[in-house]
């Protein structure tokens, strides 16, 4: 048996969260005394496939069929199940990104394989097969035992740091049994903001709230974000008011993010906002109200007017980067 | 057209999270329960909008004990037509999905809506499992759902954007923000809900695949380090030298 890792791609490039899954899978393989096989579906350059070895995969199964360019859950599930059968996999790893959320539950029901989605630990096999996950929107963790024979873990993005080695993986062409009728959902087009790091993968995020007063003031946050190499986000009222696009809204009803650094500017820190950001490694809060609840969740804080502090901070970051 | 909306009961978003019984049970003392926000604001309201625009019977299903009844009544007050409670504690996701699938199997629903995720268990898995168990297409984490005859056009969230896809009904869709505008129940709805059917259905025998061993609270934060607004260089230095994030 080999551990099977589903490594998803977008536009022919393997996602960062997929690399995290590969390395996680390789560590689990080591833990269980077995090997790691990554599965890649859709057209991807073979040079990129080999490099999955840098993250610990011994083998890469690749189905290059152009119809697999985008995720179709019925077809993909069928293929992943076939690959798992071929590899005799008892443990299957997904990134818990948008593709993982679409696919892991389907596969779980198909294989009757228990699933922990949003995992934040390696399995503890000292008494069962226990994996830790976020619950209550990041306000607590649950230790979940997977009791079925086949087990699926979908790991939380930006939780397991990756480092590349130098071993290349063996790439094996894989031709799963699928036909046109299996493709039920057809993608007509994709609308993504090109050139930007997706928020869920960003290492640094600069986020603004209602304290920014209006969309015309976002230039200031964008300058800071640019200086830090960060992505931008917002609180919910900001998205609701149309100041910023909806896909930037973080929190209970928006995205859950776990960057290394989250800079919150003019955001009060309501519990529903914290739910989406409390997994961040370091939180900096800039708010003019010393009583803002966000300070309780922060590592560093500046009590002050954003319109004064943010431009100064941007300059300080630029100065530091030049050194 | 028949639409099934999966409704779950969750603690209010501001509820204090604590555990009892040696950290194996959520402490419900003093906790207010609500309809899971994604189920109410997006899945249910989009179903009601479709009912108003193209005509549909909106059925609600929940897996849970009698303590879920007030939640279902509220969903009925918002405008659901009929409701079903599968009388079982939700043991694990596969168990819940199996109950919903067994219930929906012969009822010819055109659309099954779930929320994106429950705000207590944060699984985001029930929809995909139900789709697989019923061999239906599935679109996850949808921000928009339009119908033209029996073909649905759905915006699915992906990293940094959306994928616009097309699928013939029947389909299972998990719903998030963007699907609909939240509503509040009115007096007429609340009165009408009292007489709408709430049928209790006995569960089918199914296995569970996972079990929660224990809960934990995250370690407390060390406390915030405040830096003067006139000394932003100090913040940059701390982020570099102490926090090591830049
Ligand atoms: C079920 C539910 C789900 C929700 N989901 C989300 C969610 O996903 N995400 C989310 O963000 N919210 C969510 N909310 C809303 C949440 O409760 C808060 O209302 C919201 O987060 C507040 O946004 P804010 O901090 O931008 O605005 P406000 O609460 O208005 O705070 C603005 C802050 O800016 C500060 N400020 C003002 N001027 C300045 C200045 N010049 N310089 C510096 N600071 C300044 C103020 O002191 C204040 O702290 C949800 C609510 C509910 C009930
Ligand atoms: N006990 C339940 N009864 C009915 N529907 C549920 C139940 N639990 C979850 N769901 C539905 O499945 C969605 C996703 O839940 P989860 O996979 O637990 O995050 C929810 O938003 C609900 O629509």
């Amino acid at each position: 048996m080999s551990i099977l890792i589903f490594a998803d791609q977008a536009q022919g490039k393997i996602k960062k969260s997929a690399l995290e899954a590969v390395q996680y899978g390789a560590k689990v393989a080591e833990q269980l005394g077995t090997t790691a096989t990554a599965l890649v579906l859709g057209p991807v350059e073979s040079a990129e496939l080999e490099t999955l070895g840098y993250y610990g995969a011994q083998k890469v199964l690749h189905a290059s069929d152009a119809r697999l360019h985008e995720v179709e859950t019925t077809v993909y599930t069928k293929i992943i199940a076939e690959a798992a059968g071929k590899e005799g996999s008892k443990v299957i790893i997904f990134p818990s990104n948008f593709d993982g959320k679409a696919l892991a539950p389907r596969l779980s029901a198909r294989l009757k394989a228990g699933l922990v989605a949003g995992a934040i630990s390696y399995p503890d096999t000292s008494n069962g097969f226990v994996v830790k996950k976020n619950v209550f929107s990041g306000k607590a963790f649950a230790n979940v035992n997977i009791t079925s024979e086949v087990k699926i873990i979908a790991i939380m993005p930006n939780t397991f740091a990756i480092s590349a080695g130098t071993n290349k993986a063996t790439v094996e062409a894989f031709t799963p049994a699928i036909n046109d009728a299996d493709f039920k959902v057809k993608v007509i087009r994709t609308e993504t903001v090109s050139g930007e790091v997706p928020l869920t993968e960003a290492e640094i995020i600069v986020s603004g709230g209602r304290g920014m007063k209006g969309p015309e003031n976002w230039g200031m946050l964008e300058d800071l974000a640019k200086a830090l190499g960060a992505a931008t986000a917002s609180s919910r009222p900001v998205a609701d008011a149309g100041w910023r696009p909806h896909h930037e809204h973080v929190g209970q009803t928006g995205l859950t993010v776990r960057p290394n650094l989250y800079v919150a500017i003019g955001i009060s820190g309501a519990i529903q906002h914290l739910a989406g950001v409390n997994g961040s490694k370091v939180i900096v809060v800039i708010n003019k109200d010393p009583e803002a609840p966000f300070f309780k969740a922060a590592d560093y804080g500046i009590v002050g007017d954003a319109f004064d502090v943010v431009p100064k901070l941007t300059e300080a970051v630029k100065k530091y980067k030049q050194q | 057209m028949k639409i099934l909306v999966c409704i779950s009961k969750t603690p209010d978003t501001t509820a204090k999270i604590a555990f009892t019984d040696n950290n194996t049970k959520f402490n419900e003392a003093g906790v207010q329960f609500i309809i899971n926000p994604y189920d109410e604001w997006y899945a249910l309201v989009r179903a009601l909008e479709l009912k108003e625009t193209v005509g549909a019977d909106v059925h609600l299903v929940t897996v849970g004990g009698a303590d879920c009844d007030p939640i279902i009544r509220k969903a009925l007050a918002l405008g659901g037509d009929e409701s079903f409670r599968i009388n079982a504690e939700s043991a694990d996701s596969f168990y819940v999905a199996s109950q919903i699938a067994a219930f929906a199997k012969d009822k010819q629903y055109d659309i099954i809506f779930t929320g994106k995720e429950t705000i207590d268990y944060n699984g985001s898995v029930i929809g995909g499992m139900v789709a697989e168990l019923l061999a239906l297409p599935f679109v996850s984490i949808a921000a928009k759902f339009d119908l033209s005859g029996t073909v649905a056009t759905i915006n699915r969230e992906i990293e940094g954007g959306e994928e616009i896809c097309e699928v013939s009904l029947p389909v299972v869709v998990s719903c998030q923000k963007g699907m609909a505008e939240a509503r509040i129940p009115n007096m007429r709805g609340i009165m009408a809900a009292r007489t709408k059917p709430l049928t209790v259905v006995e569960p089918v025998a199914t296995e569970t695949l996972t079990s929660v061993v224990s809960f934990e609270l995250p370690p407390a934060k060390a406390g915030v380090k405040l830096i003067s607004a006139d000394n932003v260089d100090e913040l940059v230095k701390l982020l570099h030298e102490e926090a090591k994030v830049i």
Side-chain angles (χ1 to χ4, degrees):
Chain A
M1 90 121 190
S2 187
I3 305 278
L4 186 72
I5 303 117
F6 171 76
D8 59 334
Q9 48 91 16
Q11 315 301 332
K13 256 195 80 64
I14 307 285
K15 292 181 188 169
K16 181 180 160 229
S17 44
L19 299 179
E20 292 165 2
V22 169
Q23 196 145 51
Y24 178 98
K27 290 224 173 114
V28 177
E30 223 171 273
Q31 196 183 334
L32 303 180
T34 176
T35 54
T37 301
L39 173 67
V40 179
L41 305 183
V44 173
E45 276 185 32
S46 59
E48 178 147 6
L49 293 170
E50 284 176 351
T51 61
L52 290 180
Y54 297 169
Y55 303 95
Q58 276 84 11
K59 183 159 99 180
V60 177
L61 286 180
H62 180 219
S64 60
D65 195 324
R67 290 175 299 178
L68 301 175
H69 188 53
E70 281 111 3
V71 169
E72 204 295 329
T73 64
T74 303
V75 186
Y76 265 55
T77 304
K78 200 166 157 184
I79 298 174
I80 302 168
E82 186 181 328
K86 183 172 136 65
E87 296 293 301
S89 303
K90 295 284 178 277
V91 179
I92 303 165
I93 312 291
F94 285 84
S96 197
N97 57 17
F98 287 105
D99 289 342
K101 285 180 183 173
L103 295 166
R106 266 208 105 117
L107 188 72
S108 167
R110 187 185 188 96
L111 301 179
K112 290 207 176 11
L115 162 66
V116 174
I120 55 167
S121 80
Y122 291 99
D124 176 353
T125 53
S126 60
N127 189 7
F129 193 94
V130 177
V131 184
K132 188 183 294 205
K133 84 180 283 293
N134 270 333
V135 288
F136 296 99
S137 307
K139 283 172 264 177
F141 310 123
N143 294 303
V144 184
N145 189 17
I146 307 182
T147 49
S148 53
E149 191 199 352
V150 180
K151 299 161 173 67
I152 306 179
I153 307 172
I155 63 160
M156 197 78 163
N158 263 4
T159 303
F160 301 92
I162 48 174
S163 60
T166 51
N167 286 343
K168 286 191 172 159
T170 321
V171 179
E172 195 178 299
F174 174 46
T175 317
I178 51 169
N179 47 59
D180 280 334
D182 292 332
F183 291 81
K184 312 279 188 211
V185 181
K186 299 208 164 45
V187 175
I188 313 169
R189 60 175 200 282
T190 304
E191 291 174 358
T192 47
V193 211
S194 58
E196 271 180 39
V197 191
L199 269 183
T200 43
E201 293 188 359
E203 308 210 333
I204 303 182
I205 294 176
V206 171
S207 187
R210 207 144 52 179
M212 292 308 296
K213 309 282 190 280
E216 67 280 6
N217 299 323
W218 239 263
M220 203 161 79
L221 296 199
E222 276 162 356
D223 289 344
L224 176 60
K226 201 157 159 245
L228 284 166
T232 55
S234 84
S235 69
R236 178 189 166 113
V238 165
D240 283 348
W243 298 357
R244 298 299 291 173
H246 274 303
H247 68 258
E248 279 193 11
H249 140 217
V250 297
Q252 182 113 59
T253 41
L255 289 172
T256 299
V257 294
R258 299 170 69 83
N260 289 335
L261 174 60
Y262 184 80
V263 185
I265 304 169
I267 306 176
S268 58
I271 195 155
Q272 298 90 356
H273 184 86
L274 296 180
V277 306
N278 54 14
S280 307
K281 279 161 212 94
V282 173
I283 295 178
V284 171
V285 168
I286 301 171
N287 196 305
K288 69 173 186 193
D289 174 9
E291 301 296 321
F294 221 143
F295 284 115
K296 289 205 181 67
D299 300 281
Y300 301 99
I302 293 183
V303 178
D305 187 334
F307 293 81
D308 162 49
V309 175
V310 174
K312 283 200 295 199
L313 182 58
T314 306
E315 285 316 308
V317 171
K318 280 189 190 156
K319 202 171 73 191
Y320 153 76
K321 293 261 169 171
Q322 274 159 12
Q323 285 164 16
Chain B
M1 165 126 44
K2 281 175 76 179
I3 305 176
L4 181 67
V5 182
C6 303
I7 299 283
S8 53
K9 173 187 141 218
T10 53
D12 176 37
T13 53
T14 56
K16 179 170 161 40
I17 307 303
F19 303 99
T20 59
D21 292 30
N22 218 356
N23 286 326
T24 57
K25 278 209 181 69
F26 175 63
N27 186 352
E28 298 194 355
V31 170
Q32 184 94 19
F33 284 90
I34 58 169
I35 309 178
N36 185 45
Y38 294 104
D39 310 358
E40 177 183 339
W41 299 351
Y42 310 124
L44 175 58
V45 176
R46 188 66 193 125
L48 297 175
E49 289 173 354
L50 290 169
K51 173 179 161 169
E52 288 154 9
T53 51
V54 299
D57 270 337
V58 176
H59 288 186
L60 315 171
V61 67
T62 193
V63 180
D67 52 336
C68 294
D69 288 353
I71 300 298
I72 309 176
R73 287 278 173 219
K74 183 179 176 204
L76 287 171
L78 280 159
D81 295 304
E82 265 186 66
S83 64
F84 302 86
R85 178 167 63 78
I86 303 172
N87 191 22
E89 290 309 317
S90 21
D92 84 330
S93 302
F94 181 74
Y95 181 89
V96 171
S98 300
Q99 299 302 336
I100 295 172
F103 168 80
K105 197 168 187 301
D106 301 316
K107 299 198 175 58
Q108 267 91 40
Y109 288 111
D110 299 285
I111 304 166
I112 300 179
F113 280 138
T114 74
K116 167 184 131 170
E117 66 182 56
T118 45
I119 62 167
D120 51 1
Y121 192 67
N122 304 117
S124 205
V125 302
I126 300 286
M129 287 182 173
V130 169
E132 182 64 23
L133 294 168
L134 295 172
L136 291 178
F138 173 52
V139 178
S140 59
I141 314 195
K144 196 162 185 278
F145 181 100
D146 286 322
L147 260 189
S148 162
T150 56
V151 176
T153 306
I154 307 170
N155 291 21
R156 165 186 175 240
E157 182 157 11
I158 56 174
E159 276 79 19
E162 288 182 352
E163 204 170 70
I164 292 85
C165 37
E166 228 171 58
V167 59
S168 292
L169 303 184
V171 65
V172 180
V173 179
S174 74
C175 306
Q176 71 154 336
K177 190 178 159 161
M179 283 293 269
E181 287 300 327
R183 299 179 174 184
I184 44 170
N186 57 29
M187 209 50 205
R188 203 157 57 97
I190 295 167
M191 297 305 284
R194 293 195 183 153
T195 54
K196 284 181 183 171
L198 193 173
T199 311
V200 177
V201 183
E202 286 313 309
V204 294
T206 343
E207 69 243 76
T208 60
L209 307 174
T210 59
S211 70
V212 173
V213 184
S214 60
F215 292 101
E216 290 170 29
L217 292 172
K221 279 252 175 192
V224 60
K225 227 179 226 185
L226 288 178
I227 295 118
S228 151
D230 301 322
N231 198 4
V232 288
D233 287 320
E234 174 68 10
L235 176 62
V236 174
K237 190 168 157 229
L238 285 168
L239 290 177
H240 176 60
E241 288 174 7
E242 187 177 80
K244 298 190 170 55
V245 288
I246 63 171

